[in-house]
Amino acid sequence: MSEEKTILEKWRDLAYDTNKSQQEMTLFWANYFEIEKNIYAEILSTPDEVVEGTVKELAEKFGTEVKYMVGFLDGIDDSLKEKNPIETMDEDTKVSLCFDKELLYKNMVEAKADWLYGLEQWNDIFSEEKQKELYREQKSSHTIVKEKKVGRNDPCPCGSGKKYKFCCGK
């Protein structure tokens, strides 16, 4: 007898169904992204209020189906101050949406979700300058900066005053 799948596994099967056509998956994701955007707009309008409840209660609160709420919980999990048990949760598992604002913004940038990090609710949370700073921080976190290589005839970086080839470059 096989074990029944968790609601997270069911969500992932649905979200990454290889048996569906490209058009069906495009429609599925367009629908999901609209639901996700509406939930984020609501929770970001009162960012200091911690939203809690069972998975089923949150789905009802945000006017969506449990399967989409599971997708939302999967997506926001890396931005939460305290992780939810998403791998093992069921409809009656109590979850919390207590998120770290800066981390959430950066994760939205990382996901290239401009429909989320571009939500107008962010303007009440962070100044335009702060949003640009967080955006730049996230984008530059993947940039590898190579240090300038010291040439043989350059002054030694140790500060001795000697040429590198006669000092630390031996």
Side-chain angles (χ1 to χ4, degrees):
M1 189 169 167
S2 68
E3 269 188 55
E4 189 170 329
K5 290 185 174 189
T6 66
I7 58 177
L8 181 64
E9 289 170 329
K10 289 177 185 175
W11 160 255
R12 289 179 176 164
D13 286 349
L14 178 68
Y16 306 105
D17 189 346
T18 55
N19 297 320
K20 292 222 167 119
S21 71
Q22 179 71 37
Q23 184 180 8
E24 288 173 309
M25 291 310 295
T26 300
L27 287 171
F28 169 82
W29 281 107
N31 182 44
Y32 171 74
F33 290 148
E34 190 59 32
I35 291 166
E36 178 186 47
K37 181 180 172 182
N38 292 335
I39 294 173
Y40 275 118
E42 192 169 330
I43 66 172
L44 290 173
S45 63
T46 55
D48 296 319
E49 179 185 314
V50 178
V51 178
E52 293 179 322
T54 66
V55 176
K56 190 174 185 176
E57 288 169 349
L58 291 184
E60 289 168 5
K61 174 181 174 56
F62 294 112
T64 190
E65 298 172 51
V66 168
K67 64 183 176 185
Y68 294 120
M69 194 67 223
V70 171
F72 180 83
L73 291 167
D74 188 20
I76 198 173
D77 199 55
D78 287 339
S79 304
L80 298 177
K81 292 180 181 177
E82 219 172 286
K83 305 280 185 229
N84 287 315
I86 62 168
E87 298 291 337
T88 58
M89 69 185 173
D90 60 31
E91 288 185 3
D92 299 318
T93 303
K94 190 167 171 62
V95 292
S96 170
L97 300 181
C98 183
F99 56 92
D100 178 307
K101 296 176 200 116
E102 288 189 8
L103 184 57
L104 179 61
Y105 190 86
K106 287 179 174 183
N107 285 339
M108 289 175 171
V109 170
E110 173 72 16
K112 297 180 175 71
D114 57 339
W115 66 95
L116 297 178
Y117 68 78
L119 284 167
E120 66 183 40
Q121 286 81 356
W122 283 113
N123 298 331
D124 295 331
I125 299 170
F126 298 128
S127 67
E128 188 178 338
E129 294 78 29
K130 182 68 173 175
Q131 288 178 55
K132 285 179 181 174
E133 177 190 324
L134 292 171
Y135 183 91
R136 279 192 305 271
E137 279 178 25
Q138 182 56 42
K139 289 296 186 179
S140 67
S141 69
H142 296 295
T143 305
I144 297 170
V145 179
K146 290 185 178 179
E147 289 187 30
K148 183 180 178 285
K149 192 170 179 177
V150 180
R152 289 175 30 85
N153 291 316
D154 291 341
C156 190
C158 77
S160 68
K162 297 179 183 177
K163 286 186 177 185
Y164 180 67
K165 66 182 177 186
F166 294 122
C167 191
C168 296
K170 286 186 177 182

